[in-house]
Amino acid sequence: MIRAHTIRLNPTPEQANLFRQAAGTARFCYNWGLRAIKDALDQGMPVPTHRALRDTFKRIRAVAYPWTFQVGKSAIDGAFVNLGRAVKNFLDSRSGRRKGKKVGFPAFKSRRRGYGSFYVANDRFSVDGHTLKAQKIGTVNMTEPLRFVGKILGATIRYQAGWWRISIQVEVAHTPPTHTGPAIGVDLGITSLAVTSEGAVFENQKHLKRALATVKRLQRSVSRKVKGSANRRKAVVKLAKAHFRVACQRKDGLHKLTTALVRHASLVGIEDLNVAGMLRNHRLAQAIADGAWAELRRQLEYKAPAFGSRVIAIGRFVASSKTCNHCGHVNDDLTLAMREWACSNPDCRLLLDRDLNAARNIRDEALRLASA
Ligand SMILES: [Zn+2]
């Protein structure tokens, strides 16, 4: 399986310059190819493939763009691969072959949106402890060693929130272990991040709220500064760093939760929530966004195979929170404000935490689907 590790780099000023140059060349190639595709579409011609575009570019560049020889070959190749993927995503989305949110036609990349990124092929660099050795760039210090052992497939170097980072893709050898853990259900909560059918409660992160307050303050600070001024530029960098911090904290909390779940349980049942639909309910919006359900599911699904665990999403029409886990009685009057499940079946009268009752229903439904 393929894993990626993102590591912050400490380049020298000269190396940072080379990074900017490579990212700039990659952006130029991407835009050059996109322009050619747009022209072809405008003239009703067939859309050229990214390989054809790359070959054309390489034929003319000695004369037309000699400066592109200053950067490594893979930055240019990678730009055309990215373009090909963007166009494919757009076409597949339009034809319905790609599910989910509609993907728009690729946009030109702008220098205003940061320095950008570039690709480095695996034969162009190597890593050794805290050192990255890359052709045309030299040895660059990495803030941590590569976490994964395996065949390195390639890397992307990207400028983000004031730092250059490298994301290294590694093919990790993998024999799925046999998981002997129990089956659990997870109710993604509103007051807490998640409750499992075994009663484990994972709290929403409080520090995330604090970090969000910082983002709001910096946002105001940016809008008070004169457009185009040096002070505004500085404030924008600060804001970008704060945003990045929030994103990292959010992901970190979810990583701990999802790893704990798939390590413990051989079967993890979760609700297939319509997050987009629920976000429209404004009162819940912040809590749901904080909990980042979609990200949680993504993490669970990619981590589960590594532990030999399995994730099953149950339909959101299964009334997990309105059904009694003990007797199956359905209580339609349950409101969000009621935190306890008090079964209204006079023969049952089960009294249980609402989320725990839901988590047990999710577990049972997942077990049913797993054996079906
Ligand atoms: Zn009951």
Side-chain angles (χ1 to χ4, degrees):
M1 77 175 77
I2 298 169
R3 303 296 299 271
H5 186 188
T6 303
I7 304 165
R8 208 178 81 197
L9 298 171
N10 289 315
T12 64
E14 294 77 33
Q15 289 170 337
N17 247 333
L18 291 172
F19 287 170
R20 277 198 292 276
Q21 213 171 42
T25 303
R27 181 171 56 240
F28 176 83
C29 292
Y30 185 97
N31 287 341
W32 181 90
L34 184 55
R35 165 61 51 209
I37 288 172
K38 275 206 158 159
D39 288 349
L41 283 172
D42 287 347
Q43 292 159 18
M45 314 263 283
V47 178
T49 66
H50 71 270
R51 280 188 201 87
L53 284 169
R54 182 196 61 199
D55 295 345
T56 310
F57 183 83
K58 288 195 168 170
R59 265 201 307 281
I60 64 166
R61 77 167 169 153
V63 176
Y65 316 110
W67 49 269
T68 58
F69 284 99
Q70 284 165 9
V71 309
K73 141 183 197 298
S74 50
I76 292 169
D77 291 346
F80 284 104
V81 171
N82 282 346
L83 176 63
R85 195 175 303 138
V87 171
K88 182 176 187 299
N89 284 346
F90 164 71
L91 293 175
D92 285 355
S93 179
R94 205 174 51 174
S95 71
R97 210 173 322 155
R98 185 189 161 93
K99 305 258 175 298
K101 221 171 87 189
K102 281 274 175 247
V103 177
F105 189 76
F108 288 102
K109 289 190 190 292
S110 162
R111 165 63 189 87
R112 282 156 170 250
R113 307 202 59 185
Y115 295 128
S117 65
F118 62 96
Y119 179 73
V120 195
N122 60 358
D123 58 341
R124 306 263 143 178
F125 76 99
S126 61
V127 290
D128 181 14
H130 282 258
T131 307
L132 166 75
K133 283 199 188 102
Q135 278 183 28
K136 296 206 181 193
I137 290 166
T139 59
V140 188
N141 171 257
M142 303 195 296
T143 50
E144 53 182 321
L146 180 62
R147 189 191 304 149
F148 302 118
V149 179
K151 183 184 181 327
I152 290 175
L153 301 175
T156 301
I157 294 181
R158 171 174 284 111
Y159 188 81
Q160 200 173 25
W163 294 97
W164 287 96
R165 291 184 173 81
I166 187 166
S167 173
I168 305 174
Q169 286 97 45
V170 184
E171 171 88 65
V172 184
H174 176 60
T175 37
T178 331
H179 206 310
T180 52
I184 60 168
V186 183
D187 183 55
L188 301 168
I190 286 145
T191 47
S192 55
L193 177 57
V195 176
T196 75
S197 51
E198 294 173 340
V201 179
F202 294 84
E203 292 301 335
N204 266 315
Q205 296 164 284
K206 296 286 186 297
H207 56 260
L208 201 59
K209 253 197 178 133
R210 267 205 308 278
L212 275 174
T214 309
V215 166
K216 276 183 192 150
R217 182 172 54 76
L218 291 172
Q219 200 108 52
R220 284 196 299 275
S221 155
V222 167
S223 58
R224 274 199 302 270
K225 307 256 180 330
V226 181
K227 270 192 183 161
S229 70
N231 277 336
R232 187 174 170 111
R233 242 190 337 271
K234 278 185 246 169
V236 165
V237 170
K238 265 194 187 167
L239 175 62
K241 285 190 179 176
H243 265 300
F244 190 74
R245 205 179 152 76
V246 169
C248 288
Q249 287 182 343
R250 181 175 285 169
K251 272 202 170 160
D252 184 53
L254 290 174
H255 274 302
K256 284 174 181 146
L257 165 64
T258 52
T259 303
L261 291 176
V262 292
R263 176 172 284 156
H264 171 66
S266 59
L267 178 67
V268 182
I270 53 168
E271 272 177 301
D272 181 6
L273 287 155
N274 182 359
V275 176
M278 292 197 76
L279 282 175
R280 256 173 257 130
N281 179 345
H282 212 74
R283 218 156 51 91
L284 291 178
Q286 190 67 51
I288 292 170
D290 278 353
W293 286 347
E295 171 65 15
L296 186 132
R297 180 170 174 185
R298 186 190 73 82
Q299 288 184 9
L300 276 180
E301 284 176 344
Y302 90 75
K303 283 181 188 176
F307 293 89
S309 179
R310 191 173 160 201
V311 178
I312 290 188
I314 67 162
R316 65 191 137 94
F317 298 112
V318 175
S320 60
S321 57
K322 290 183 176 174
T323 309
C324 176
N325 184 253
H326 185 65
C327 70
H329 177 76
V330 175
N331 183 1
D332 271 322
D333 307 326
L334 194 77
T335 67
L336 267 181
M338 295 147 89
R339 301 311 311 160
E340 289 286 315
W341 171 264
C343 187
S344 51
N345 174 3
D347 297 330
C348 173
R349 293 283 174 208
L350 176 75
L351 196 65
L352 199 63
D353 176 75
R354 168 213 178 95
D355 295 337
L356 187 56
N357 178 60
R360 289 187 183 171
N361 285 331
I362 293 165
R363 175 199 60 198
D364 295 348
E365 176 66 10
L367 276 170
R368 192 183 68 78
L369 290 173
S371 61

